[in-house]
mmCIF file with all atom_site columns, all heavy atoms in Angstrom:
data_model
loop_
_atom_site.group_PDB
_atom_site.id
_atom_site.type_symbol
_atom_site.label_atom_id
_atom_site.label_alt_id
_atom_site.label_comp_id
_atom_site.label_asym_id
_atom_site.label_entity_id
_atom_site.label_seq_id
_atom_site.pdbx_PDB_ins_code
_atom_site.Cartn_x
_atom_site.Cartn_y
_atom_site.Cartn_z
_atom_site.occupancy
_atom_site.B_iso_or_equiv
_atom_site.pdbx_formal_charge
_atom_site.auth_seq_id
_atom_site.auth_comp_id
_atom_site.auth_asym_id
_atom_site.auth_atom_id
_atom_site.pdbx_PDB_model_num
ATOM 1  N N   . LEU Q 1 98  ? 122.104 41.593 -69.424 1.00 90.00 ? 114 LEU Q N   1
ATOM 2  C CA  . LEU Q 1 98  ? 122.657 40.749 -70.476 1.00 90.00 ? 114 LEU Q CA  1
ATOM 3  C C   . LEU Q 1 98  ? 121.791 40.789 -71.728 1.00 90.00 ? 114 LEU Q C   1
ATOM 4  O O   . LEU Q 1 98  ? 122.298 40.861 -72.863 1.00 90.00 ? 114 LEU Q O   1
ATOM 5  C CB  . LEU Q 1 98  ? 122.838 39.307 -69.990 1.00 90.00 ? 114 LEU Q CB  1
ATOM 6  C CG  . LEU Q 1 98  ? 123.939 39.080 -68.960 1.00 90.00 ? 114 LEU Q CG  1
ATOM 7  C CD1 . LEU Q 1 98  ? 123.894 37.642 -68.452 1.00 90.00 ? 114 LEU Q CD1 1
ATOM 8  C CD2 . LEU Q 1 98  ? 125.309 39.385 -69.564 1.00 90.00 ? 114 LEU Q CD2 1
ATOM 9  N N   . GLU Q 1 99  ? 120.469 40.740 -71.514 1.00 90.00 ? 115 GLU Q N   1
ATOM 10 C CA  . GLU Q 1 99  ? 119.556 40.802 -72.665 1.00 90.00 ? 115 GLU Q CA  1
ATOM 11 C C   . GLU Q 1 99  ? 119.680 42.149 -73.376 1.00 90.00 ? 115 GLU Q C   1
ATOM 12 O O   . GLU Q 1 99  ? 119.684 42.220 -74.612 1.00 90.00 ? 115 GLU Q O   1
ATOM 13 C CB  . GLU Q 1 99  ? 118.111 40.561 -72.219 1.00 90.00 ? 115 GLU Q CB  1
ATOM 14 C CG  . GLU Q 1 99  ? 117.821 39.123 -71.886 1.00 90.00 ? 115 GLU Q CG  1
ATOM 15 C CD  . GLU Q 1 99  ? 116.397 38.920 -71.365 1.00 90.00 ? 115 GLU Q CD  1
ATOM 16 O OE1 . GLU Q 1 99  ? 115.577 39.858 -71.382 1.00 90.00 ? 115 GLU Q OE1 1
ATOM 17 O OE2 . GLU Q 1 99  ? 116.109 37.791 -70.928 1.00 90.00 ? 115 GLU Q OE2 1
ATOM 18 N N   . ALA Q 1 100 ? 119.807 43.207 -72.588 1.00 88.00 ? 116 ALA Q N   1
ATOM 19 C CA  . ALA Q 1 100 ? 119.951 44.543 -73.190 1.00 88.00 ? 116 ALA Q CA  1
ATOM 20 C C   . ALA Q 1 100 ? 121.266 44.614 -73.960 1.00 88.00 ? 116 ALA Q C   1
ATOM 21 O O   . ALA Q 1 100 ? 121.330 45.175 -75.081 1.00 88.00 ? 116 ALA Q O   1
ATOM 22 C CB  . ALA Q 1 100 ? 119.889 45.622 -72.108 1.00 88.00 ? 116 ALA Q CB  1
ATOM 23 N N   . GLY Q 1 101 ? 122.342 44.070 -73.380 1.00 87.00 ? 117 GLY Q N   1
ATOM 24 C CA  . GLY Q 1 101 ? 123.644 44.060 -74.051 1.00 87.00 ? 117 GLY Q CA  1
ATOM 25 C C   . GLY Q 1 101 ? 123.598 43.236 -75.330 1.00 87.00 ? 117 GLY Q C   1
ATOM 26 O O   . GLY Q 1 101 ? 124.163 43.621 -76.371 1.00 87.00 ? 117 GLY Q O   1
ATOM 27 N N   . ALA Q 1 102 ? 122.898 42.089 -75.265 1.00 87.00 ? 118 ALA Q N   1
ATOM 28 C CA  . ALA Q 1 102 ? 122.770 41.230 -76.444 1.00 87.00 ? 118 ALA Q CA  1
ATOM 29 C C   . ALA Q 1 102 ? 121.974 41.938 -77.521 1.00 87.00 ? 118 ALA Q C   1
ATOM 30 O O   . ALA Q 1 102 ? 122.309 41.866 -78.720 1.00 87.00 ? 118 ALA Q O   1
ATOM 31 C CB  . ALA Q 1 102 ? 122.120 39.911 -76.068 1.00 87.00 ? 118 ALA Q CB  1
ATOM 32 N N   . ALA Q 1 103 ? 120.958 42.662 -77.140 1.00 87.00 ? 119 ALA Q N   1
ATOM 33 C CA  . ALA Q 1 103 ? 120.127 43.391 -78.097 1.00 87.00 ? 119 ALA Q CA  1
ATOM 34 C C   . ALA Q 1 103 ? 120.938 44.498 -78.755 1.00 87.00 ? 119 ALA Q C   1
ATOM 35 O O   . ALA Q 1 103 ? 120.839 44.743 -79.966 1.00 87.00 ? 119 ALA Q O   1
ATOM 36 C CB  . ALA Q 1 103 ? 118.888 43.954 -77.423 1.00 87.00 ? 119 ALA Q CB  1
ATOM 37 N N   . LYS Q 1 106 ? 123.401 42.974 -81.166 1.00 83.00 ? 122 LYS Q N   1
ATOM 38 C CA  . LYS Q 1 106 ? 122.700 42.525 -82.377 1.00 83.00 ? 122 LYS Q CA  1
ATOM 39 C C   . LYS Q 1 106 ? 122.380 43.715 -83.264 1.00 83.00 ? 122 LYS Q C   1
ATOM 40 O O   . LYS Q 1 106 ? 122.495 43.635 -84.489 1.00 83.00 ? 122 LYS Q O   1
ATOM 41 C CB  . LYS Q 1 106 ? 121.427 41.767 -81.967 1.00 83.00 ? 122 LYS Q CB  1
ATOM 42 C CG  . LYS Q 1 106 ? 120.735 41.111 -83.098 1.00 83.00 ? 122 LYS Q CG  1
ATOM 43 C CD  . LYS Q 1 106 ? 119.557 40.324 -82.580 1.00 83.00 ? 122 LYS Q CD  1
ATOM 44 C CE  . LYS Q 1 106 ? 118.904 39.551 -83.689 1.00 83.00 ? 122 LYS Q CE  1
ATOM 45 N NZ  . LYS Q 1 106 ? 117.751 38.802 -83.261 1.00 83.00 ? 122 LYS Q NZ  1
#
Side-chain angles (χ1 to χ4, degrees):
L114 290 173
E115 286 177 7
K122 188 176 185 181

